Amino acid sequence: MESLGDILRRITARNISTTTNGAGVSLPESEPAGDVCSRCNGSGWVTRRVHIGHPEFGQAIPCYCQETQDADTRTAALRRYSNLGALARITFTTTNLEGPLPDGPSRKMFGEGVTAATRFAEDPQGWLVLTGPSGSGKTHLAVAIANKCIERNQTAFFIVAADLLDHLRAAYSPENPVSYDDLFEQVRNVPVLVLDDLSMANATPWAQEKLFQIINHRYNNSLPTVVTVRGPLQRLDDSLRTRLEGADGTATVVQLGNFNSRLVLGIGEVRAEMLERMTFDNFDTLGGASASDQDRESLDLVMHAARTFAYDPDGWLLLTGPRGSGKTHLAVAIAGEQLKQGSQVFFAFVPTLLDHLRATFSPDSPVGYDELFEQINSVPLLVLDDLGAESSTVWAEEKLYQIIVHRHEARLPTVITSAASLNELEDSKSRIASRLVDGIVVNWQPITAPNYRDQRRRS
């Protein structure tokens, strides 16, 4: 397989006219070897050198070789220069129409995505934006579109957004065989661009500017473009989002799966042994030998509140009390009941959750911050265990506050446990506590029973 540098050296467009306006791409003087077209270097398209403002300024037009070459030769050349490599195996005929995600709504979304992608591939016009969680089939459909374009003798270029930025940075090096201008113009003007995994997470101002320049140019010139985005478009910069959404009707946005249809890497899952060990049936409302009648009454009340919430989650349930008093037990029991009903549950020990969010900023993370954060924000039932046990940093407080505010304003079912009293939370986390004291949304159930987990160990 050729390197991207070799590909770009071949497919940099040669302009037809001899007049110049400074916007065209300069090419090496040497002619390409073999029977590759000397005018377009095998890309199948060229751009005219016309003045700025001319209707064809920056527009790609078919090279004359497309009329003289036989179909097999044209297809081989287009495939060689598409940057698809081994992805040539992915086509609409090899696509499982049910999609990769297991839930019914996501399968329906994927079917709608296949329809939209097929329609675009048959007649590339405007923009197609595919969004969804990891593993929802976005890249698969985008690649299938590129391969279909090649079958129809249309030039398509596929590249991952992060790889594009890496190559643009490398192009500044004087030793790089591909100049920055060559690569930048190629991506801006290729007849059909497939830009995979667009994300602004951790993007530097330079990277944001380059991506915007490419997207803005193609948007203004109505160049057919396919973009995949991991996560909701709302997480993107407004300037990018407005172009991807296409307020003028030139863009079609298709979501391929629910963002909570698959818990990424087990994050948010309740361990099976916890579900077996912590149920309503084996919850001890006696509270141990040292528990008073008042303590046992509080356990009865919280047990009733937890059962009621588990069967019909509505609003929030806040469980506070000493460590070992049964808060996590009831939270797991609630999660277990909802899982039995087929609902989606995200269960997280708060300090571990923050660790997972921090880890998404690593270049090696298989899941993006936006995707995980959106999953936490929108899951039908969120269980946050041991609020207050996390390290109190500015970043941690801000992330927790954003989650709390979003779910509180949307009144999404949420269970929170904390060993801190409500007064202690008001002192240490005043912004978060201001949401927890909302009696309209939050059902606060304090447990007064002592730590009977340690009592059982001593007995």
Side-chain angles (χ1 to χ4, degrees), residues 214-278:
I214 291 169
I215 287 175
N216 190 55
H217 174 83
R218 296 189 66 84
Y219 176 83
N220 289 339
N221 289 279
S222 301
L223 296 175
T225 306
V226 179
V227 181
T228 74
V229 180
R230 181 174 51 178
L233 293 184
Q234 288 74 13
R235 298 293 181 187
L236 295 177
D237 178 81
D238 285 345
S239 59
L240 283 179
R241 179 179 55 79
T242 54
R243 283 155 180 77
L244 294 182
E245 289 176 340
D248 58 357
T250 59
T252 299
V253 180
V254 180
Q255 182 176 323
L256 295 187
N258 289 316
F259 290 106
N260 299 298
S261 57
R262 175 181 291 166
L263 295 177
V264 182
L265 301 179
I267 300 172
E269 291 181 346
V270 192
R271 297 197 307 272
E273 61 88 12
M274 292 179 66
L275 291 172
E276 294 176 2
R277 181 165 48 88
M278 301 179 182

Side-chain angles (χ1 to χ4, degrees), residues 34-57:
D35 56 359
V36 177
C37 175
S38 61
R39 188 174 295 271
C40 69
N41 282 347
S43 71
W45 63 280
V46 292
T47 56
R48 295 187 185 276
R49 287 191 182 274
V50 293
H51 62 81
I52 297 176
H54 189 280
E56 292 185 349
F57 177 78

Side-chain angles (χ1 to χ4, degrees), residues 270-271 274-283 302-303 306-311 313 317 319 326-341 345 347 381 383 415 417:
V270 192
R271 297 197 307 272
M274 292 179 66
L275 291 172
E276 294 176 2
R277 181 165 48 88
M278 301 179 182
T279 67
F280 288 121
D281 291 338
N282 62 16
F283 182 74
V302 74
M303 171 73 156
R307 276 189 180 274
T308 301
F309 186 93
Y311 295 132
L317 182 62
L319 307 178
K327 304 181 301 298
T328 298
H329 186 128
L330 290 175
V332 172
I334 292 170
E337 182 59 37
Q338 278 296 291
L339 290 171
K340 289 178 185 177
Q341 295 182 22
V345 178
F347 186 100
L381 175 60
V383 180
V415 177
T417 76

Side-chain angles (χ1 to χ4, degrees), residues 5 9 166-180 183:
R9 281 200 301 275
D166 285 344
H167 287 298
L168 284 173
R169 292 186 189 97
Y172 284 114
S173 170
E175 289 81 21
N176 196 292
V178 180
S179 74
Y180 172 88
L183 174 55

Side-chain angles (χ1 to χ4, degrees), residues 161 165 198-200 207-215 240:
L165 292 171
L198 176 65
S199 173
M200 300 306 291
Q208 294 180 32
E209 179 186 4
K210 295 303 112 179
L211 288 172
F212 177 76
Q213 288 175 346
I214 291 169
I215 287 175
L240 283 179

